[in-house]
Amino acid sequence: MEAFAQTERTTLKRLPKRAVYDRELLYRILDEGFICHVGFVNEAQPFVIPTGYARAGDKLYIHGSQASRMLRTLGKGIDVCVTVTLVDGLVLARSAFHHSMNYRSVVVFGRATVVDERAEKLDALRALSEHMIPGRWDEVRQPTDQELKATSVLALPLAEASAKVRTGPPIDEEEDYELPVWAGVIPLRLVAGEPVADPRLPRDVAPPDYATKYTRG
Ligand SMILES: Cc1cc2nc3c(=O)[nH]c(=O)nc-3n(C[C@H](O)[C@H](O)[C@H](O)COP(=O)(O)OP(=O)(O)OC[C@H]3O[C@@H](n4cnc5c(N)ncnc54)[C@H](O)[C@@H]3O)c2cc1C
C-alpha cells in the first residue's frame, strides 16, 4: 500500500516523530474505531459533529437521515476534516506537566460526495453495519426502497490523511525520576458487556455469537 503523501496541512508541527503516514497503519486505526468527529463550516459557523463511519477500500463512508444538516451540507462538496481517536491509556508522570495519554488518532481532509448509485449505497450501508457488528447485515431485514431513499450516504476519499501515535511510559525530567511518586500507565480499552435482550424479544431467540463475544481491537 502506498503511504499518504505529506501535505502542508497534514504535516505535524508538534512532536513530528509521532506522525504516521503509513496507509496500512492508518487503516488499522480507522478499522478499530467506529466513531469519528466531522468538522465543517456552514455559513461561517464551524461545527464538529460525532457520527459513525466505516472504511471500505480507500473511502470513508458516513450515513444518516436525508434531513441531516451535516450530511446535506457536506453533500455540497465543501471542505471537511474528520478525526478518529483511540485512547490506549493514561500516562501518569512524576510532574503534573508531563502527564499524557497513549493514543492512536487520525485526521483526514477532503471533500465528500453523495453516494446515489443503488449498488454502492447498499455496499456502503453493509460496510457500516459490518464495521460495527460483523455478521449482522446478513441476518437482518434488508432496507426497503423507501428506507434507502430516506438515508443519505456520503463517501470521503482517503487521499490526504495523517496519524499520530503515542505509546510507552511517561517521559519525565531527569531530576524528577527520584521523586517518590507513582508513575506509569493505566491502560484503557473498550470492553463489551453482557448483551441485554430487548424486552419484546421472543424467549426462544438466543443472542448470536457476534453479540455475546463482541470485541474490538
Ligand atoms: C456515538 C454517536 C454515533 C452517531 N452516529 C450517527 C450516524 O451514524 N449517522 C447520523 O446521521 N448521526 C449519528 N449520530 C448523531 C449525530 O451526532 C447528529 O446528531 C446527527 O447526524 C444530526 O446531525 P445534524 O447536523 O442534522 O444536527 P442538527 O440537529 O442540525 O444539529 C443542531 C445542533 O444540535 C446539536 N447537536 C447535534 N448533534 C449533536 C450531538 N450528537 N451531540 C450534542 N449535540 C448535538 C448541536 O448543537 C448542533 O449544532 C451519532 C451520534 C453519536 C454521539
Side-chain angles (χ1 to χ4, degrees):
M1 272 192 207
E2 209 178 314
F4 285 98
Q6 214 172 313
T7 65
E8 170 70 27
R9 56 184 182 178
T10 62
T11 298
L12 263 82
K13 279 94 192 165
R14 285 274 306 126
L15 299 175
K17 65 175 189 292
R18 292 187 184 155
V20 179
Y21 299 96
D22 177 67
R23 199 173 278 266
E24 216 172 303
L25 194 148
L26 209 139
Y27 284 2
R28 276 209 298 278
I29 299 171
L30 292 180
D31 293 348
E32 187 172 328
F34 54 92
I35 303 300
C36 63
H37 288 82
V38 180
F40 59 95
V41 174
N42 186 26
E43 292 172 4
Q45 170 62 56
F47 291 91
V48 178
I49 300 290
T51 196
Y53 72 89
R55 178 187 73 85
D58 295 332
K59 287 180 184 169
L60 199 81
Y61 287 107
I62 58 173
H63 82 309
S65 158
Q66 281 281 5
S68 161
R69 187 221 2 232
M70 170 179 73
L71 296 172
R72 276 190 283 117
T73 308
L74 296 185
K76 293 176 192 160
I78 61 166
D79 283 308
V80 58
C81 178
V82 173
T83 71
V84 172
T85 308
L86 305 175
V87 181
D88 295 321
L90 297 173
V91 180
L92 282 63
R94 291 152 183 88
S95 63
F97 180 77
H98 283 297
H99 279 68
S100 187
M101 290 188 201
N102 282 340
Y103 61 84
R104 290 164 287 153
S105 55
V106 169
V107 173
V108 183
F109 295 99
R111 290 178 179 181
T113 52
V114 180
V115 177
D116 269 333
E117 202 261 317
R118 187 187 162 86
E120 190 187 352
K121 198 168 180 178
L122 274 170
D123 282 350
L125 292 173
R126 168 191 279 272
L128 280 152
S129 175
E130 289 297 298
H131 178 57
M132 289 177 216
I133 314 157
R136 186 71 178 159
W137 182 261
D138 286 336
E139 282 189 16
V140 294
R141 176 178 66 71
Q142 296 301 294
T144 62
D145 284 347
Q146 204 173 354
E147 286 169 343
L148 270 185
K149 226 170 154 181
T151 307
S152 264
V153 175
L154 294 186
L156 179 67
L158 290 165
E160 191 178 355
S162 57
K164 192 170 178 181
V165 176
R166 190 203 188 277
T167 57
I171 301 165
D172 270 308
E173 298 299 328
E174 210 41 56
E175 61 272 24
D176 287 343
Y177 280 91
E178 286 173 18
L179 292 174
V181 176
W182 190 87
V185 174
I186 303 172
L188 295 176
R189 67 194 167 96
L190 197 62
V191 179
E194 188 108 345
V196 179
D198 180 341
R200 294 185 59 176
L201 191 75
R203 282 182 190 281
D204 58 344
V205 181
D209 276 359
Y210 58 71
T212 55
K213 296 178 181 160
Y214 190 85
T215 58
R216 285 206 88 80

